[in-house]
């Protein structure tokens, strides 16, 4: 049986952490207005570039391989989430459970090998 | 602690509430102090290896350097670039710092000294630490500037790549300890190696996983030699380029809190957490949290040591190591370790 009352401290911790970090972000804004260090101007607020105005929109195209990494990540992270409950119940599932998971791992291993062969993991 | 507040005449609910809040503050505030001091230690170790002095002006031996830096950024102006998405721009450091803090809720500092004693503590840490990628991606996108954008792309791909192998390494440890409960994992390591070494590190099957975990932890926290997201010569300051004042400092604090978390996790998973290194009676006289902090400090020293001595990887090398070396190896170890446990622990030959 899951003891949900143990999760309440985490929720409280989350609340305190959010309040603390929000205060850390917004408090200096107020302080800098009081001390007079808050003096924005157009040049200061422009985005960082090496001494000249930016040529184009910074949210340009990016390499498709980042996308491939994200897709592969979803597959293998999902696989890990299947492994977690299996890892603590090996005692009850016995050889059948172990064999089933090995078949699953083998299929994903094949997938990884295919991805590797196709060059999806190469960054030249 | 609840009993103490009950003895002051509170009802059980109020006593529990006050005790929990006190416990949270007892973790969060020393953690921030520890982060400030560990930044100082990092700079000192780095300086010593480079034969420099390091910070030595503010306070005795420069001990107050981090606090002077903190005060300085606190009084600075917060610059929000006009092209940025303002809401997201301010939320990103909040996410980073919050996530770095709440992961500590389940870390056991001693037998029983844990704020939230949940039975899937390791899974919780794994889940929370993978949320850290959102702060990085959002800051890079919201800055609307080239360098942060490229940096956050790199950081996201890097963090998720190494998270996969960290996940499989965690599965291996969980297989051996047969639990996700952090204190049970630590107890399983009592006298594990040759009957007197406390820690899975003495296990020949888990020993290589420790090195993979340590290197993955370096990559996950974007430390040298995997600090491509902040490669100064290419990307200025990475996704923090447009940040100033405390918003900048929150990324910094969050990063170091994550490094400490990874050190704590290494200590818990492979070095017996708050257990003394050897299962020998006199060593138990030293309180558990002292051993735990010593272990964290040792691994942090290793982090600093690596930072001062190892040159930076190229991005293709980083991805190659993650996907072509660690991922197949950790998958193999899951199969081998579970098979070994089936033979030796769960029934032998069917």
């Amino acid at each position: 049986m899951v003891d949900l009352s143990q999760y309440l401290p985490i929720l409280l911790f989350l609340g305190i952490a959010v309040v603390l970090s929000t205060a850390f972000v917004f408090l200096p804004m107020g302080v800098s207005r009081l001390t007079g260090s808050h003096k924005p101007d157009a040049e200061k607020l422009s985005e960082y570039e090496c001494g000249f105005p930016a040529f184009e929109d910074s949210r340009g195209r990016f390499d498709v391989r980042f996308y491939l990494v994200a897709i592969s990540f979803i597959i293998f992270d999902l696989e890990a989430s299947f492994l977690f409950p299996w890892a603590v119940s090996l005692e009850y599932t016995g050889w059948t459970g172990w064999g089933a998971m090995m078949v699953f791992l083998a299929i994903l291993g094949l997938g990884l090998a295919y991805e590797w062969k196709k060059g999806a993991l190469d960054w030249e | 602690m609840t009993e103490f507040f009950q003895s002051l005449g509170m009802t059980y609910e109020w006593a529990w509430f006050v005790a929990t809040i006190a416990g949270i503050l007892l973790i969060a505030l020393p953690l921030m102090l520890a982060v400030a001091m560990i930044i100082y230690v990092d700079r000192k170790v780095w300086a010593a290896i480079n034969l420099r002095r390091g910070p030595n002006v503010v306070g005795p031996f420069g001990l107050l350097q981090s606090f002077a830096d903190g005060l300085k950024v606190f009084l600075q102006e917060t610059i929000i670039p006009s092209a940025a998405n303002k809401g997201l721009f301010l939320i990103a450091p909040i996410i980073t710092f919050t996530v770095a803090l709440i992961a500590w809720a389940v870390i056991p500092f001693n037998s029983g000294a844990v704020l939230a004693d949940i039975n899937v503590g390791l899974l919780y840490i794994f889940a929370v630490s993978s949320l850290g990628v959102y702060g990085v991606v959002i800051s890079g996108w919201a800055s609307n500037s080239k360098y942060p954008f490229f940096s956050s792309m790199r950081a996201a791909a890097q963090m998720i790549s190494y998270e996969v192998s960290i996940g499989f390494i965690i599965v291996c440890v969980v297989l051996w300890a047969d639990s996700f409960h952090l204190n049970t994992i630590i107890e399983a390591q009592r006298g594990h190696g040759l009957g007197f070494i406390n820690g899975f590190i003495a296990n020949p099957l888990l020993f290589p996983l420790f090195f993979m975990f340590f290197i993955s932890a370096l990559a996950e926290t974007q430390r040298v030699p995997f600090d491509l997201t902040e490669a100064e010569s290419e990307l200025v300051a990475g996704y923090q380029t447009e940040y100033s004042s405390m918003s900048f400092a929150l990324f910094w604090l969050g990063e170091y809190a994550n490094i400490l978390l990874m050190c704590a996790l290494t200590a818990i998973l492979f070095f017996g957490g708050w257990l003394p290194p050897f299962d020998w009676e006199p060593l138990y006289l030293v309180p558990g949290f002292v051993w735990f902090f010593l272990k964290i400090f040792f691994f942090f020293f290793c982090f600093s040591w690596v930072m001062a001595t190892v040159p930076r990887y190229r991005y293709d090398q980083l991805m190659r190591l993650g996907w072509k070396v660690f991922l197949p190896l950790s998958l193999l170890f899951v199969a081998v370790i579970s098979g070994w446990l089936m033979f030796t622990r769960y029934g032998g030959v069917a």
Side-chain angles (χ1 to χ4, degrees), chain B:
Chain B
M1 217 163 7
T2 310
E3 289 79 25
F4 170 73
F5 285 107
Q6 262 183 314
S7 69
L8 295 179
M10 295 183 190
T11 61
Y12 177 76
E13 284 78 18
W14 273 107
W16 180 86
F17 184 73
V18 174
T20 307
I21 297 290
I24 291 170
L25 293 179
L26 262 178
I27 293 175
L29 300 180
L31 178 64
M32 281 191 271
L33 195 69
V35 165
M37 291 322 290
I38 221 81
I39 291 174
Y40 164 80
V41 170
D42 201 17
R43 294 171 69 176
K44 270 291 193 198
V45 170
W46 199 11
I49 293 176
N50 291 349
L51 294 180
R52 292 183 287 114
R53 282 179 190 279
N56 65 346
V57 175
V58 191
F61 308 109
L63 273 169
L64 301 175
Q65 181 66 47
S66 296
F67 300 98
D69 291 343
L71 188 66
K72 180 201 153 220
V73 293
F74 192 82
L75 294 174
Q76 264 177 350
E77 172 189 9
T78 307
I79 299 168
I80 304 174
S82 48
N85 299 45
K86 293 186 180 56
L88 287 177
F89 186 80
L90 293 175
I91 285 174
I94 296 178
I95 292 179
T96 304
F97 190 61
T98 306
V99 166
L101 276 187
I102 59 169
W104 287 86
V106 295
I107 298 281
F109 294 95
N110 203 343
S111 172
V114 49
L115 180 71
D117 195 19
I118 62 177
N119 59 358
V120 286
L122 196 51
L123 197 57
Y124 169 82
I125 290 180
F126 187 58
V128 167
S129 69
S130 52
L131 287 178
V133 74
Y134 283 106
V136 175
V137 168
I138 290 174
S139 69
W141 177 260
S143 295
N144 200 1
S145 171
K146 268 213 170 57
Y147 304 103
F149 182 68
F150 289 145
S151 163
S152 70
M153 279 293 159
R154 283 186 183 186
Q158 174 180 341
M159 284 168 90
I160 61 178
S161 297
Y162 281 86
E163 212 177 284
V164 173
S165 43
I166 285 187
F168 289 136
I169 294 166
I170 283 177
V171 167
C172 292
V173 173
V174 166
L175 273 167
W176 211 286
D178 201 22
S179 174
F180 277 104
H181 186 233
L182 287 172
N183 263 329
T184 314
I185 292 175
I186 292 172
E187 282 296 339
Q189 300 178 44
R190 195 186 287 272
H192 186 77
L194 307 172
F196 68 95
I197 302 171
N198 290 331
F200 281 146
I201 186 68
N203 184 327
L205 275 176
L206 292 172
F207 181 69
L209 289 174
F210 157 68
F211 286 98
M212 282 161 66
F213 185 83
F214 187 74
I215 296 169
S216 300
L218 286 171
E220 182 79 3
T221 51
Q222 292 147 30
R223 283 284 288 198
V224 183
F226 307 110
D227 63 336
L228 288 139
T229 58
E230 290 163 44
E232 294 88 353
S233 47
E234 308 159 28
L235 290 175
V236 196
Y239 54 88
Q240 307 162 346
T241 304
E242 299 286 356
Y243 283 88
S244 57
S245 183
M246 266 322 256
S247 327
F248 175 76
L250 280 190
F251 280 117
W252 202 240
L253 292 174
E255 197 173 299
Y256 274 88
N258 271 332
I259 290 169
L260 283 183
L261 180 75
M262 280 298 171
C263 296
L265 215 51
T266 316
I268 289 172
L269 293 181
F270 295 101
F271 284 82
W274 40 260
L275 291 172
F278 301 107
D279 199 14
W280 185 46
E281 204 50 51
L283 290 178
Y284 286 96
L285 294 175
V286 180
F289 66 89
V290 174
W291 289 117
F292 188 51
F293 291 155
L294 278 177
K295 284 169 186 173
I296 292 179
F297 191 80
F298 173 73
F299 289 120
F300 185 78
F301 174 75
C302 292
F303 268 64
S304 296
W305 191 3
V306 169
M307 173 165 155
T309 46
V310 183
R312 182 180 292 143
Y313 262 54
R314 274 203 325 266
Y315 201 71
D316 61 318
Q317 294 170 327
L318 171 88
M319 285 317 215
R320 189 182 150 273
L321 184 68
W323 287 99
K324 294 187 175 176
V325 180
F326 281 1
L327 179 61
L329 262 182
S330 53
L331 267 176
L332 189 70
F333 268 102
V334 171
V336 168
I337 287 177
S338 60
W340 173 259
L341 286 178
M342 284 307 293
F343 271 115
T344 55
R345 196 189 290 172
Y346 303 124
V349 183

